[in-house]
Amino acid sequence: MTPTEAKKRIAELRAEVVRHAELYYRQAKPEISDRDYDKLERALADLEKEFPQFAKKDSQTAKVGDDRLAGFSTYRHRQPMQSLDNTYSEEEYRAFHQRLAKQLEREALSYVVEPKIDGLAVSVTYEKGRLTRAVTRGNGEEGDDITVNAKTIHSLPHELKAGRKHPVPDVIEIRGEIYLTLEEFQRINQEREEAGEPVYANPRNLAAGTIKQLDSKEVARRKLEIVLYGIGFCEPSVAESQSGFLELVKHWGLPTVEKFWTADGIDEAWKAVGELDKLRHAFAYGTDGAVTKLDSFPLRRAAGSTSKAPRWAIAYKFEPERAETKINAITIQVGRTGVLTPVAELEPVQLSGSTVSRATLHNRDEIERKDIRVGDYVLVEKAGEIIPAVIEVNTKRRTPACQPYKFPGKCPECATKVVQLEGEVALRCPNYDCPAQIVRRIGFFASKPALDLDGMGGIIAEKLVERGLVEEPLDVFGLKIEKLAILNLGSNDEPRIFGEKNAQKLLDAISHARELPLARWLLAFAIPDVGEETAHDIASLHKNLEEVADSQVLKDYVELDRLNDEMLRNSPASKENKSKSDEEKDEMRPEWERFKSAADDLGQRLIDAGVAKPAAGENPVPRKANTKVGPIAAKSILMWFQSNRGEATLKRMKELELNPVSQQSSSGGSAFFGKTVVLTGTLENMSRNQAQEKIRALGGNVAGSVSRKTDFVVAGPGAGSKLDDAKKYGVKVIDEVEFQAMIGVT
Ligand code: IVH
């Protein structure tokens, strides 16, 4: 290659690498595989080495990918977070050792080999054992402050377990990866598919997209996990080796790598890499390689690092297993909300230890983008090492018989014309009575997190609908043993009868579901935007379905959101209104003030009632209060109960005598929920302690003195000045009999 050609190629490669680094790190929406990205970056680095006159200090090859986003405040790492050199070849892996041995002038080097976790890098700081901050890698020097979101990760302790043998330092930065389990990844993607939203290609992207959400409530709904393995800044020093540090991390109660190896020399390390490759598929997180690090911290310091990565570590990346196979057909699945999902029916092929015969193609756009046709030979890979995905078509093997795929214009199940809703990628069957949708709805209704109707698996639901025994999920509560026992699960020619025993088991599960708490039912109705967590939150605010259907709290949540929106719309200082004249801005001011104060009033009222928390930070304004349920879910649930479907559901529930109550029924809708109560005088049937406990269990607060903010005074014989205060402030006074009735004791 001539220097002129090299210069041009370097410029091209740089632009490509920068674009893909942006897609990967900042947007979590890569267009190419990690392997292809590594190849691009390597090609650029090689050329820069060969033609140093064109190398640039700030080339992507010399710095870490930047993940910082607008909307987050940044935080400077006490010790920079670097990247890792990586390789796919054993030869280069061994050359890493040779280089180090030469530099450190010693042949015998001990290493630690760890899984390379396919998540997103994070640094968590503990000060005197308390979690104070979580920050993304950012540009290595400073990253986005994601503390609030990271605190929603259940496995991340807010406090380190200190011990005599493993004391906690004053300040420590611990490095690790945030990831999503396969189960969670599939759950969320399925939800997104159903909602007509684009799906994430692998768990890493979804985890990255999640932690960078501005709404931490949403983050909590997606159950992120964390694994910690590295040490950053630490004062005073606590460990002198990686293996020692990993043991400490475990003692402190932090989640860490499932397994690591200590190896004397590169041969042993290479053996460990091989062992890891065999074990890694059983790990909770996706792994894309093995990280080999010098064990000794003093030796690490001696080895030092380049601008991008330490010289004392290397990542050996496993080649993603891929296979070529033929698409025999494309079938269409109709989901619970009518979304049509195309599925590639593949010629079965072995991939990473299992046979793959189907892969989702997600939606019509995806088929068009990759130009996937029936009869094509395609490359399949397991996305995030787990889920089979069609990567690309091998167009060289394409025959003229392979014609572009025509997405059906009608639902394959009920022949209704499909529609595309605005802003959605998905096509949907709009027929609510489409048998496929009913079957899916029943499947969801019966699923474990919903009503857990064991035995109501796919085929049973399908046959119940096919034979006309069930037309909507609630119909299962009307099923009778006589008909259920003789349900034919086979065909007319080859009947297969469900049987009395199985039927009874299913009916037992159905009868058990009658007693399930409100939250499970709210989930079972499959109301848009209401997932497990939200269903629980909603249930905790209400006593029963009727209360939810006409919920003042939810209406208040929606109203608070509206007031905030209006305030912003009328704000003379907002970006949108920047171009307005000073006069126009002056005119807007009173409106802005009006919405601002209304939002503050409502926010404060919700905080006082205990159904919202003040926003984070010092001196937060009440209008920014964190409501227990987000406005989107609140709106969705109110709309659902007002819709024909919601009304019919409530009516049918009554007919079937189904009346689920909140587990905190006691708390959720109780008269004391979020209320401040003062006790005065003596109670005859319970001690004051018992009464206090009961009020707290019902979600109320017990105060010692009466003020304007008191909601109730419970007054027994001998009540004194508190009763006078109650009268003065106009606070409601109840006696013990009323109190007992309100707490459900008669
Ligand atoms: S050590 C200074 N160990 O991979 C070197 N990194 O591709 C710090 N990663 O930036 C890295 N698993 O985010 C290390 N067991 C592991 C890892 C690991 C995943 C990430 C890390 C790093 C990236 C480089």
Side-chain angles (χ1 to χ4, degrees):
M1 193 181 282
T2 67
T4 325
E5 285 167 345
K7 192 175 173 192
K8 189 166 161 257
R9 184 74 191 121
I10 285 175
E12 282 167 3
L13 281 170
R14 253 184 212 147
E16 277 289 276
V17 169
V18 166
R19 190 169 82 84
H20 289 297
E22 160 81 21
L23 284 168
Y24 180 88
Y25 289 107
R26 231 193 281 269
Q27 300 185 23
K29 288 193 185 114
E31 286 176 5
I32 58 175
S33 70
D34 291 4
R35 176 65 170 124
D36 290 345
Y37 177 79
D38 289 340
K39 269 190 196 153
L40 269 182
E41 206 185 80
R42 176 57 73 92
L44 176 57
D46 286 350
L47 269 184
E48 286 177 335
K49 211 183 271 167
E50 197 182 334
F51 297 91
Q53 65 270 40
F54 306 129
K56 264 197 195 163
K57 253 211 174 117
D58 71 337
S59 172
Q60 192 61 52
T61 50
K63 60 182 184 188
V64 309
D66 194 348
D67 66 52
R68 287 169 304 165
L69 285 181
F72 285 87
S73 45
T74 51
Y75 193 83
R76 185 159 281 274
H77 302 296
R78 288 179 164 96
Q79 184 175 307
M81 284 179 84
Q82 290 200 294
S83 177
L84 279 173
D85 283 336
N86 68 47
T87 180
Y88 289 83
S89 103
E90 180 183 348
E91 202 185 321
E92 283 182 6
Y93 179 78
R94 289 179 179 278
F96 151 78
H97 168 73
Q98 296 308 334
R99 257 195 326 271
L100 258 186
K102 196 165 153 211
Q103 190 199 350
L104 299 172
E105 295 176 349
R106 51 156 91 196
E107 189 45 40
L109 290 172
S110 292
Y111 294 105
V112 164
V113 177
E114 293 168 8
K116 183 173 188 310
I117 298 119
D118 196 13
L120 74 142
V122 65
S123 174
V124 288
T125 304
Y126 284 87
E127 293 175 40
K128 297 220 178 330
R130 277 193 76 85
L131 171 63
T132 51
R133 192 157 261 115
V135 183
T136 65
R137 188 172 72 180
N139 65 353
E141 298 288 331
E142 57 173 39
D144 282 344
D145 186 333
I146 52 160
T147 313
V148 179
N149 287 351
K151 281 189 173 168
T152 68
I153 303 174
H154 294 286
S155 49
L156 181 65
H158 292 194
E159 196 91 43
L160 295 180
K161 269 197 241 153
R164 210 160 37 81
K165 287 203 187 130
H166 34 87
V168 298
D170 288 343
V171 182
I172 185 168
E173 288 177 334
I174 307 177
R175 269 74 199 260
E177 303 281 311
I178 291 176
Y179 70 95
L180 267 180
T181 59
L182 166 68
E183 233 183 341
E184 217 14 37
F185 169 70
Q186 284 178 318
R187 183 187 71 75
I188 297 163
N189 255 359
Q190 206 171 349
E191 244 179 55
R192 292 179 67 86
E193 213 156 70
E194 287 286 346
E197 294 169 287
V199 292
Y200 284 89
N202 61 51
R204 191 257 164 209
N205 297 341
L206 183 45
T210 300
I211 203 73
K212 290 294 185 86
Q213 290 226 356
L214 293 170
D215 182 355
S216 56
K217 192 90 212 172
E218 269 305 301
V219 180
R221 244 172 60 64
R222 299 177 179 177
K223 299 190 180 75
L224 290 168
E225 300 286 346
I226 193 165
V227 46
L228 298 155
Y229 51 71
I231 186 164
F233 177 87
C234 182
E235 184 62 49
S237 155
V238 286
E240 278 306 298
S241 71
Q242 177 68 8
S243 46
F245 176 67
L246 287 175
E247 291 301 335
L248 255 185
V249 165
K250 231 187 273 171
H251 282 300
W252 285 337
L254 296 170
T256 184
V257 287
E258 293 187 44
K259 191 168 165 64
F260 70 89
W261 288 256
T262 45
D264 278 334
I266 202 69
D267 288 334
E268 265 189 49
W270 179 246
K271 219 174 110 211
V273 172
E275 283 175 26
L276 169 63
D277 192 15
K278 288 203 191 86
L279 293 179
R280 67 195 176 102
H281 295 293
F283 293 169
Y285 33 77
T287 51
D288 56 353
V291 185
T292 302
K293 312 169 170 178
L294 267 185
D295 194 21
S296 151
F297 288 176
L299 284 181
R300 284 188 184 184
R301 288 192 280 270
S305 56
T306 66
S307 61
K308 181 178 185 177
R311 292 200 182 87
W312 45 259
I314 192 161
Y316 176 83
K317 295 211 22 195
F318 301 118
E319 285 285 352
E321 252 191 90
R322 289 175 162 191
E324 194 164 294
T325 190
K326 192 176 170 193
I327 297 197
N328 289 329
I330 293 177
T331 53
I332 300 284
Q333 270 182 5
V334 183
R336 172 161 56 87
T337 56
V339 168
L340 269 53
T341 305
V343 178
E345 306 290 344
L346 305 165
E347 191 59 41
V349 64
Q350 278 298 113
L351 196 59
S352 311
S354 67
T355 309
V356 172
S357 54
R358 308 184 85 205
T360 171
L361 297 173
H362 303 301
N363 52 54
R364 180 176 63 181
D365 287 9
E366 183 89 354
I367 298 182
E368 280 173 9
R369 197 166 62 78
K370 293 183 176 156
D371 188 18
I372 295 168
R373 306 178 182 190
V374 175
D376 268 342
Y377 280 85
V378 292
L379 211 52
V380 276
E381 184 184 301
K382 285 201 173 167
E385 299 292 316
I386 332 175
I387 299 124
V390 174
I391 302 294
E392 62 186 17
V393 175
N394 179 358
T395 44
K396 285 193 199 117
R397 293 182 78 178
R398 179 172 276 171
T399 65
C402 301
Q403 287 302 306
Y405 178 71
K406 242 182 105 12
F407 208 89
K410 286 183 181 163
C411 171
E413 302 283 341
C414 69
T416 307
K417 204 163 163 256
V418 299
V419 295
Q420 185 165 27
L421 302 183
E422 213 185 302
E424 285 197 355
V425 281
L427 289 151
R428 288 174 191 269
C429 161
N431 174 17
Y432 189 73
D433 298 319
C434 167
Q437 287 187 48
I438 299 175
V439 170
R440 290 300 177 100
R441 278 204 297 275
I442 296 173
F444 183 80
F445 187 76
S447 68
K448 225 175 179 49
L451 297 189
D452 192 15
L453 304 181
D454 199 17
M456 185 63 106
I459 181 79
I460 317 267
E462 219 172 289
K463 293 297 168 186
L464 285 172
V465 174
E466 199 180 301
R467 314 268 180 230
L469 290 174
V470 168
E471 279 175 17
E472 59 146 316
L474 278 176
D475 288 346
V476 301
F477 284 87
L479 285 173
K480 296 275 177 299
I481 183 91
E482 302 78 36
K483 285 206 172 150
L484 196 56
I486 55 167
L487 178 71
N488 179 4
L489 303 178
S491 61
N492 286 345
D493 297 337
E494 276 180 66
R496 193 160 66 80
I497 302 305
F498 192 37
E500 187 138 357
K501 223 163 109 199
N502 289 330
Q504 193 51 53
K505 240 172 87 188
L506 179 54
L507 288 177
D508 288 347
I510 293 171
S511 125
H512 176 246
R514 286 182 162 270
E515 309 306 324
L516 288 178
L518 181 60
R520 303 276 292 271
W521 282 87
L522 286 174
L523 181 70
F525 294 149
I527 301 165
D529 300 304
V530 179
E532 237 175 295
E533 200 107 0
T534 310
H536 274 101
D537 288 341
I538 294 169
S540 78
L541 293 165
H542 305 87
K543 201 164 32 181
N544 55 29
L545 276 180
E546 271 97 46
E547 266 197 22
V548 181
D550 191 32
S551 163
Q552 189 54 46
V553 185
L554 296 182
K555 286 179 197 163
D556 284 347
Y557 287 173
V558 175
E559 176 65 1
L560 180 64
D561 186 55
R562 187 189 73 87
L563 291 170
N564 270 310
D565 272 358
E566 286 288 356
M567 186 193 85
L568 206 66
R569 220 165 50 81
N570 287 286
S571 163
S574 78
K575 240 195 246 156
E576 285 71 29
N577 296 327
K578 219 175 170 175
S579 56
K580 294 222 157 76
S581 71
D582 285 349
E583 239 170 51
E584 281 175 308
K585 282 185 190 168
D586 281 343
E587 266 174 34
M588 291 167 71
R589 208 154 269 128
E591 277 294 273
W592 170 64
E593 290 281 357
R594 196 168 67 79
F595 285 118
K596 189 160 69 126
S597 98
D600 271 329
D601 285 351
L602 181 53
Q604 191 59 51
R605 203 151 55 73
L606 295 174
I607 294 171
D608 291 344
V611 294
K613 283 204 195 108
E618 280 174 44
N619 306 325
V621 286
R623 59 181 179 274
K624 290 275 171 255
N626 283 318
T627 52
K628 228 175 177 189
V629 176
I632 297 176
K635 208 177 286 178
S636 176
I637 203 141
L638 289 170
M639 268 172 55
W640 189 84
F641 277 102
Q642 276 162 21
S643 71
N644 291 343
R645 197 167 307 152
E647 278 181 3
T649 303
L650 270 189
K651 189 163 159 253
R652 192 75 209 285
M653 293 279 291
K654 271 207 191 110
E655 284 166 8
L656 291 164
E657 291 175 2
L658 291 163
N659 182 25
V661 289
S662 176
Q663 234 163 13
Q664 296 105 319
S665 78
S666 19
S667 93
S670 98
F672 291 116
F673 190 73
K675 298 285 186 328
T676 302
V677 186
V678 173
L679 298 167
T680 179
T682 33
L683 298 176
E684 293 181 337
N685 293 309
M686 61 173 80
S687 70
R688 191 177 276 228
N689 261 349
Q690 282 173 324
Q692 284 180 351
E693 253 172 42
K694 191 73 201 175
I695 293 165
R696 291 199 184 108
L698 295 170
N701 305 307
V702 182
S705 59
V706 181
S707 75
R708 257 174 245 288
K709 288 201 174 149
T710 310
D711 296 292
F712 295 107
V713 168
V714 182
S721 64
K722 290 179 187 168
L723 192 55
D724 299 337
D725 289 343
K727 284 181 190 145
K728 189 164 87 194
Y729 295 126
V731 174
K732 190 173 166 67
V733 179
I734 51 177
D735 63 19
E736 187 172 355
V737 177
E738 276 174 279
F739 176 63
Q740 285 192 317
M742 283 166 79
I743 60 176
V745 179
T746 42

